[in-house]
Amino acid sequence: MSFGLALLDQKPRRFFVLVCVACLSMLAFGLYLQQSVGLNPCPMCIVQRYALILIAVTAGLAALGDKKSLHITSAFLMLVEAGFGAFVAARQSWLQWYPPEIATCGRDFYGMIENFPINRVIPMIFKGSGDCSAVDWTFLGGSIANWSFVCFFLIGVLALLLIWQRASHH
């Protein structure tokens, strides 16, 4: 474990590149499932994609610099972004485990944004719909939302470790 923490402190730019590549890989896999397999993303899936994009951009920009303060700030932003993504994935997993009695497909994400003010869209997204509670794909017993939660959680833990490691060494 100390080797991994030392690596975070000695090579933080590699950590940020790794996170950026991992997020881009997950986004590419999501597009593969959408375009090749035919799985249409629900509103919560799209929000998780946006969280992955934010994390990838933050990590990519952090990898360009070598300042300790930039790395700590970027890791904190990634922690917040990963926390948000984990929250959305956890909510979707909960909807999949305990689907609503009346499953309606409702509007798609972009239809909601075009037709409603943002203060109505956000609760509609988190309320979920029939699409958000459907489990169309699994891997080792976990749905896409379950695996997304695991990935967001790991990114958040690694970002927290990086903050701790970089801040504790003057």
Side-chain angles (χ1 to χ4, degrees):
M1 182 70 172
S2 63
F3 172 74
L5 292 177
L7 188 62
L8 280 177
D9 191 43
Q10 295 168 4
K11 308 282 185 187
R13 292 174 72 184
R14 287 186 183 174
F15 162 75
F16 289 116
V17 168
L18 178 66
V19 169
C20 183
V21 169
C23 288
L24 293 175
S25 297
M26 287 185 279
L27 288 164
F29 183 67
L31 288 175
Y32 163 77
L33 289 175
Q34 181 178 350
Q35 299 298 323
S36 297
V37 179
L39 299 180
N40 289 322
C42 72
M44 288 183 165
C45 295
I46 294 170
V47 171
Q48 290 170 63
R49 285 183 184 182
Y50 285 134
L52 283 172
I53 291 168
L54 287 173
I55 294 169
V57 168
T58 303
L61 291 174
L64 297 176
D66 211 13
K67 291 190 176 187
K68 186 177 182 178
S69 60
L70 171 69
H71 293 165
I72 292 172
T73 303
S74 298
F76 177 76
L77 282 173
M78 287 171 44
L79 177 64
V80 171
E81 295 159 353
F84 175 71
F87 170 77
V88 176
R91 175 68 178 143
Q92 185 177 5
S93 293
W94 188 85
L95 285 171
Q96 289 173 346
W97 292 326
Y98 306 103
E101 289 183 27
I102 301 172
T104 60
C105 290
R107 295 182 180 268
D108 69 340
F109 181 76
Y110 299 107
M112 284 189 252
I113 289 178
E114 290 174 358
N115 294 309
F116 296 102
I118 194 70
N119 63 335
R120 286 196 53 209
V121 169
I122 292 173
M124 290 168 72
I125 290 170
F126 291 107
K127 182 180 177 190
S129 66
D131 291 336
C132 293
S133 62
V135 178
D136 297 324
W137 180 90
T138 61
F139 177 71
L140 296 176
S143 69
I144 297 170
N146 302 149
W147 285 108
S148 292
F149 175 82
V150 169
C151 292
F152 283 123
F153 179 79
L154 288 174
I155 291 168
V157 167
L158 290 172
L160 192 59
L161 285 173
L162 180 75
I163 293 167
W164 177 70
Q165 190 71 8
R166 297 289 285 171
S168 66
H169 291 93
H170 305 287

